C-alpha cells in the first residue's frame, strides 16, 4: 500500500526514522535485479576503492536505501560497504541522528563494544556519526553523514551517506587495534568527501 505524502502522520515519520536507524546486521533478501533509485548507479569511488550497487530497497513510501560493495564481496558477509539512504519529508537531520543515538544507547546495554561520537558542522547543518558495534564474532565500524536532501527536483528530506567496515572472528582484535590510530584521519577524510548528488527517479 502506498501512502500519500501530503497526509503522512507524524507517528509514521518516526517509524521511518527508526527504519533508517536500524543496524546493518539485517539479512538481505535475494534479488535477481537491483533497482536503482537515486541516479547514482555506480560504481562509487571512495578511498581508492570502487563500490558497485549490490542491493536496494523501498520499504516505505518515503524511504529508500541503496548499498554498494567492492567487486567480489557479498552483502551478507562484506568487509566494506557504502550506503546511501533517503527519507522524504519535513525532517530535521538532528532528529535522524537522535534516533540512531537512541538505538546505540540501547545497544550499549548488551553490546560491550558499542561506542559512538557525533560531530556537527554548524556551517552546513550536517552531522557525522562515528560508531562501533558488534554481534557475535563480527565487529563493525561505521561513519554516517546526515544532511538535508540535495535533490535537483526540489524534494525535501534527509539523506544519509555512510561507510561501514567489518572484521570477522580472530581478525577483530587486529581490526580494533588498528582502528585506534586510523579512526581520526579516516573520519577527517570521510567528512571532506564529495558525496554523489541524489536525483530521485520518478516511478
Amino acid at each position: 500500500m502506498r501512502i500519500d505524502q501530503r497526509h503522512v502522520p507524524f507517528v509514521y515519520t518516526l517509524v521511518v526514522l527508526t527504519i533508517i536507524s536500524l543496524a546493518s546486521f539485517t539479512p538481505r533478501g535475494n534479488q535477481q535485479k537491483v533497482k536503482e533509485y537515486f541516479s547514482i548507479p555506480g560504481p562509487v569511488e571512495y578511498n581508492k576503492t570502487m563500490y558497485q550497487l549490490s542491493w536496494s530497497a523501498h520499504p516505505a513510501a518515503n524511504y529508500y536505501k541503496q548499498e554498494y560493495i567492492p567487486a567480489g564481496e557479498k552483502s551478507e558477509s562484506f568487509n566494506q560497504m557504502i550506503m546511501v539512504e533517503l527519507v522524504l519529508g519535513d525532517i530535521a537531520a538532528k532528529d535522524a541522528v537522535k534516533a540512531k543515538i537512541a538505538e546505540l544507547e540501547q545497544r550499549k546495554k548488551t553490546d560491550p563494544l558499542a561506542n559512538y561520537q557525533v560531530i556537527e558542522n554548524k556551517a552546513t547543518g550536517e552531522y557525522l556519526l562515528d560508531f562501533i558495534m558488534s554481534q557475535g564474532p563480527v565487529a563493525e565500524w561505521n561513519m554516517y553523514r546526515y544532511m538535508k536532501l540535495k535533490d535537483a527536483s526540489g524534494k525535501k528530506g534527509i539523506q544519509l551517506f555512510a561507510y561501514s567496515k567489518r572484521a570477522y572472528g580472530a581478525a577483530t582484535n587486529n581490526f580494533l587495534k588498528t582502528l585506534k590510530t586510523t579512526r581520526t584521519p579516516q573520519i577527517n577524510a570521510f567528512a571532506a568527501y564529495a558525496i554523489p548528488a541524489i536525483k530521485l527517479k520518478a516511478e
Side-chain angles (χ1 to χ4, degrees):
M1 178 180 70
R2 297 190 63 81
I3 299 176
D4 188 334
Q5 289 303 300
R6 294 169 296 178
H7 304 288
V8 175
F10 182 67
V11 66
Y12 183 75
T13 300
L14 290 180
V15 169
V16 175
L17 283 177
T18 301
I19 292 173
I20 202 171
S21 74
L22 289 176
S24 55
F25 292 114
T26 307
R28 300 291 178 251
N30 293 327
Q31 284 184 265
Q32 293 188 359
K33 186 176 181 180
V34 181
K35 185 169 183 178
E36 203 284 309
Y37 296 102
F38 299 146
S39 302
I40 44 173
V44 173
E45 182 175 3
Y46 174 69
N47 196 24
K48 299 180 180 180
T49 299
M50 306 301 288
Y51 295 78
Q52 305 285 347
L53 180 61
S54 62
W55 184 83
S56 66
H58 181 23
N62 63 342
Y63 175 54
Y64 302 79
K65 177 171 183 172
Q66 293 186 180
E67 296 179 348
Y68 302 77
I69 56 177
E73 294 196 17
K74 297 180 179 180
S75 295
E76 297 80 7
S77 57
F78 69 87
N79 292 299
Q80 297 184 88
M81 177 181 284
I82 293 290
M83 294 175 287
V84 182
E85 302 188 19
L86 170 64
V87 177
L88 295 174
D90 189 12
I91 306 165
K94 64 180 180 181
D95 290 332
V97 175
K98 285 179 181 178
K100 184 63 182 179
I101 289 175
E103 176 208 328
L104 291 170
E105 285 293 339
Q106 282 296 115
R107 191 178 192 93
K108 286 169 71 173
K109 297 176 181 179
T110 56
D111 181 355
L113 196 61
N115 180 26
Y116 68 90
Q117 67 171 337
V118 182
I119 302 169
E120 179 183 5
N121 186 331
K122 293 185 178 180
T124 63
E126 182 179 315
Y127 292 82
L128 193 157
L129 179 62
D130 149 48
F131 63 97
I132 303 173
M133 59 186 182
S134 63
Q135 182 167 303
V138 184
E140 182 178 292
W141 175 55
N142 299 271
M143 296 183 289
Y144 281 19
R145 284 175 61 180
Y146 296 85
M147 68 213 75
K148 280 288 187 181
L149 172 64
K150 300 174 183 178
D151 182 273
S153 66
K155 292 183 177 69
K156 292 183 178 181
I158 295 297
Q159 67 182 79
L160 169 73
F161 186 84
Y163 170 79
S164 187
K165 188 172 184 178
R166 282 183 178 179
Y168 300 82
T172 58
N173 289 334
N174 187 59
F175 172 75
L176 296 172
K177 182 178 179 180
T178 302
L179 197 56
K180 290 180 179 180
T181 57
T182 61
R183 191 174 186 176
T184 297
Q186 288 191 70
I187 289 171
N188 292 337
F190 187 70
Y193 177 76
I195 293 173
I198 286 179
K199 183 178 180 182
L200 194 60
K201 293 181 177 180
E203 295 190 67

